[in-house]
Amino acid sequence: DLDDTTRGTLEDQVARGWFDSDQRQAAEWLIQRSDDTNRPERLADFANRWADWEANAAGEWLGEMVEKYGSQSDKAVRRFATAIAQKDPQTALDWVHTIIDPNERQKAARQVGQQFAMRMMDDVDQFVANSSLNEAERATVLQASKQARY
């Protein structure tokens, strides 16, 4: 009989190995074995890793997780939005807007803004203006973008 820590570590290792061949099944298997203490981190890990492989499929899965787990998905949404910000800035901003916890949303806005700066986007203002973010979140994105650039 395994203790919770050992079982959790083994589950994470199995899912990571399985991820290479079937992202959705590996993610669903691991999330089914999760509880409130480890679910947010597991969701975030998969969202971030999967975004690099296939952002559209990852976003579809993440949307399902947001519906099912609500604010427990906030960290996953933040990491996903940050991962896709350089390739799909408008979608990244849309994802930031879905984060429930205001502190996590501000953190996501700052990280996405930093990603925009790394890309040296001249059109950051346009993306932010067209986003569904509120004024404070827009200001956070723009400020992070400018600070990281200079």
Side-chain angles (χ1 to χ4, degrees):
D1 208 19
L2 299 173
D3 63 80
D4 289 344
T5 302
T6 303
R7 185 180 317 105
T9 300
L10 289 173
E11 288 172 349
D12 289 341
Q13 290 173 350
V14 167
R16 284 188 183 111
W18 189 359
F19 180 84
D20 292 343
S21 62
D22 192 331
Q23 295 83 28
R24 181 175 278 277
Q25 279 194 321
E28 289 177 0
W29 178 84
L30 187 61
I31 299 308
Q32 288 174 356
R33 285 156 180 75
S34 302
D35 59 32
D36 292 347
T37 62
N38 61 8
R39 187 176 298 112
E41 186 59 41
R42 285 176 167 182
L43 287 167
D45 183 49
F46 268 95
N48 187 56
R49 292 181 72 217
W50 201 347
D52 291 337
W53 283 62
E54 176 57 48
N56 290 335
E60 181 181 311
W61 171 81
L62 186 55
E64 294 168 13
M65 298 301 101
V66 169
E67 285 182 26
K68 190 169 186 175
Y69 298 111
S71 64
Q72 286 191 340
S73 302
D74 283 351
K75 184 176 184 178
V77 172
R78 174 177 51 85
R79 290 183 51 191
F80 179 75
T82 302
I84 67 168
Q86 289 187 19
K87 294 178 187 171
D88 193 349
Q90 195 64 55
T91 301
L93 291 173
D94 291 343
W95 275 105
V96 169
H97 182 71
T98 69
I99 296 174
I100 297 166
D101 178 78
N103 293 329
E104 193 71 29
R105 192 169 45 248
Q106 282 292 329
K107 190 174 183 179
R110 189 170 33 263
Q111 289 178 348
V112 167
Q114 290 167 344
Q115 290 299 309
F116 289 170
M118 290 173 64
R119 185 175 166 201
M120 297 301 285
M121 291 177 55
D122 294 326
D123 48 359
V124 170
D125 293 335
Q126 176 186 349
F127 282 110
V128 173
N130 293 330
S131 75
S132 53
L133 300 177
N134 66 39
E135 287 303 314
E137 294 158 356
R138 288 177 185 173
T140 299
V141 171
L142 291 173
Q143 181 182 7
S145 171
K146 290 174 182 162
Q147 284 177 342
R149 219 187 284 193
Y150 301 108

